[in-house]
Amino acid sequence: MNTAISPYIQYMYGYPHKTAYRTWETPTDLIPFIREQAGK
């Protein structure tokens, strides 16, 4: 029996659901974090 396998059987959604996103209370400055990581 030769049956075609649907490409959606092994499909995995890789992004968080839209309800996982929210607005931030206060903006976060990433410059100190980036500088710290660059030094490593």
Side-chain angles (χ1 to χ4, degrees), residues 4-16:
I5 298 175
S6 171
Y8 298 104
I9 289 176
Q10 296 181 2
Y11 175 78
M12 180 179 209
Y13 187 69
Y15 296 97

Side-chain angles (χ1 to χ4, degrees), residues 1-5 7-8 12-13 18 20-22 24 27-28 30-31 33-34 37-40:
M1 176 187 238
N2 187 8
T3 58
I5 298 175
Y8 298 104
M12 180 179 209
Y13 187 69
K18 64 182 180 181
Y21 296 101
R22 61 180 172 82
W24 287 32
T28 302
L30 295 177
I31 299 300
F33 174 76
I34 293 170
Q37 295 302 309
K40 294 182 179 180

